[in-house]
């Protein structure tokens, strides 16, 4: 199956199938020799993401990422280079969170901002906030904004929302079926400890599997609302690819492969 999917240009399969086997296929042999496996894999990712409406992709941001890091800032190290600045503004205009966030962070780091810079700072921060609340982008990595929920940490540079705004964002995550995002944000909003120091938080993923699990009323109300808002769309869970070579090595280990054979036999007899 991995070989077939690799042949079709599915990047996660190509990564898991491995460099040696991928480059041995006739389809990729010349490309590997000419540009190398890493370049081939990157091209496959970009091609696939452009074609898949479920994937978050912005061409301007990809071009920005392709700029070497030491060339993304000007010679004075006071702002982005002209090319990087143009690309970030271009994709921020299309409401791409990473670009709006990069620009607001850039202005935040400027000391003694001019009136114009202050306006730009607030402008791009407002765009980033709007994208978060409406969940206009997929895979927003809500968990990375944990500082917004911690009084002990400085979070002025982060794009932080009010409690009511986070609740709206939570609803929109449910409507979009973003399971990762909903899990992360509900954890940040509702996680707490009881007087015995035991956690009272049950993740939404577990609640979907075991709806009869006992949880606090406020959490149950939120979860039930999420299911209603989702309205049968389903919950998208982002899979993480992993190389299978270590598992193959383990499986083929002569010292323990007898154990796996026994397990396979028992499984087939069920």
């Amino acid at each position: 199956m991995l070989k077939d999917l690799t042949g079709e240009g599915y990047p996660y399969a190509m990564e898991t199938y491995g460099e040696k086997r991928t480059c041995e296929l006739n389809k990729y042999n010349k490309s590997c020799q000419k540009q190398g496996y890493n370049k081939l894999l990157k091209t496959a990712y970009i091609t696939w993401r452009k074609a898949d409406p479920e994937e978050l992709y912005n061409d301007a941001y990809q071009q920005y990422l392709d700029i070497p890091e030491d060339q993304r800032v000007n010679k004075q190290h006071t702002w982005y280079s002209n090319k990087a600045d143009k690309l970030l503004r271009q994709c921020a205009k299309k409401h791409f969170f990473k670009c709006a966030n990069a620009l607001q962070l850039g202005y935040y780091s400027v000391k003694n901002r001019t009136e114009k810079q202050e306006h730009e700072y607030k402008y791009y921060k407002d765009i980033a906030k709007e994208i978060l609340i409406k969940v206009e982008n997929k895979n927003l990595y809500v968990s990375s904004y944990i500082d917004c929920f911690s009084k002990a940490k400085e979070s002025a540079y982060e794009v932080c929302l009010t409690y009511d705004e986070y609740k709206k964002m939570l609803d929109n995550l449910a409507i979009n079926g973003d399971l990762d995002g909903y899990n992360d944000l509900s954890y940040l909003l509702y996680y707490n400890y009881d007087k015995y120091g035991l956690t009272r938080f049950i993740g939404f993923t577990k609640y979907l599997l075991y709806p009869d699990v006992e949880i606090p009323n406020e959490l149950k109300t939120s979860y039930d609302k999420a299911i209603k808002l989702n309205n049968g769309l389903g919950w998208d869970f982002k899979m993480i690819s992993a190389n299978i070579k270590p598992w193959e090595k383990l499986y083929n280990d002569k010292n323990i492969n007898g154990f796996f054979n026994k397990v396979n036999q028992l499984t087939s007899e069920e």
Side-chain angles (χ1 to χ4, degrees):
M1 187 182 292
L2 280 171
K3 182 178 180 181
D4 289 343
L5 289 170
T6 296
E8 291 177 16
Y10 185 56
Y12 289 122
M14 294 169 70
E15 186 179 19
T16 306
Y17 200 47
E19 178 177 355
K20 184 175 184 295
R21 286 179 288 196
T22 298
C23 290
E24 284 176 350
L25 297 177
N26 291 333
K27 181 176 180 179
Y28 303 118
N29 191 263
K30 289 183 179 179
S31 295
C32 284
Q33 292 179 27
K34 186 176 180 180
Q35 62 183 11
Y37 172 72
N38 290 336
K39 179 70 174 178
L40 171 70
L41 193 61
K42 183 177 181 179
T43 302
Y45 270 109
I46 292 173
T47 302
W48 175 67
R49 293 180 73 182
K50 282 182 177 179
D52 189 345
E54 291 299 309
E55 274 294 312
L56 182 64
Y57 180 83
N58 183 284
D59 190 59
Y61 185 66
Q62 184 61 53
Q63 289 182 53
Y64 166 77
L65 292 179
D66 289 341
I67 300 174
E69 287 191 28
D70 61 337
Q71 296 177 29
R72 293 178 190 174
V73 295
N74 59 23
K75 292 181 179 179
Q76 296 76 27
H77 287 262
T78 56
W79 190 247
Y80 295 104
S81 64
N82 289 336
K83 183 178 181 180
D85 179 74
K86 182 179 179 180
L87 290 169
L88 287 175
R89 291 179 190 277
Q90 186 178 329
C91 71
K93 188 176 180 180
K94 293 185 178 180
H95 277 216
F96 194 81
F97 178 79
K98 290 182 178 179
C99 295
N101 190 42
L103 287 166
Q104 75 88 14
L105 284 171
Y107 281 114
Y108 175 82
S109 65
V110 175
K111 294 181 179 180
N112 302 316
R113 289 188 290 270
T114 64
E115 187 176 336
K116 182 180 179 182
Q117 288 173 328
E118 185 67 24
H119 172 77
E120 293 281 281
Y121 167 61
K122 291 179 179 178
Y123 174 75
Y124 286 109
K125 192 159 190 174
D126 285 343
I127 289 179
K129 282 186 176 182
E130 186 178 352
I131 296 169
L132 281 178
I133 295 169
K134 294 182 178 179
V135 192
E136 295 182 51
N137 297 168
K138 280 183 169 287
N139 309 322
L140 288 168
Y141 303 108
V142 178
S143 59
S144 64
Y145 293 93
I146 193 168
D147 284 2
C148 293
F149 295 83
S150 174
K151 294 180 181 179
K153 294 184 178 181
E154 176 62 42
S155 59
Y157 64 93
E158 300 283 15
V159 180
C160 296
L161 308 176
T162 65
Y163 181 77
D164 287 339
E165 287 172 337
Y166 275 122
K167 292 292 288 292
K168 289 179 182 177
M169 182 181 178
L170 196 66
D171 288 346
N172 286 322
L173 286 165
I175 292 170
N176 292 346
D178 188 335
L179 184 59
D180 276 344
Y182 191 92
N183 264 325
D184 289 342
L185 186 53
S186 59
Y187 174 84
L188 292 171
L189 287 173
Y190 295 114
Y191 182 81
N192 58 69
Y193 289 90
D194 63 20
K195 62 181 180 181
Y196 300 107
L198 302 173
T199 179
R200 300 171 59 203
F201 181 83
I202 299 295
F204 184 58
T205 306
K206 185 173 182 180
Y207 185 75
L208 286 173
L209 295 171
Y210 309 104
D212 295 329
V213 67
E214 187 175 339
I215 58 175
N217 289 333
E218 186 181 19
L219 198 56
K220 179 175 173 54
T221 299
S222 179
Y223 286 173
D224 288 342
K225 181 183 180 182
I227 293 171
K228 186 176 181 180
L229 287 170
N230 185 258
N231 195 28
L233 172 69
W235 298 91
D236 177 34
F237 185 78
K238 199 70 181 175
M239 297 299 291
I240 301 174
S241 62
N243 199 303
I244 62 172
K245 286 183 179 179
W247 295 102
E248 291 178 322
K249 184 178 179 181
L250 184 66
Y251 185 84
N252 293 319
D253 189 323
K254 293 182 179 179
N255 294 321
I256 61 171
N257 63 7
F259 168 77
F260 284 105
N261 290 334
K262 289 177 182 177
V263 171
N264 290 336
Q265 185 178 354
L266 289 170
T267 304
S268 66
E269 291 174 355
E270 287 183 357

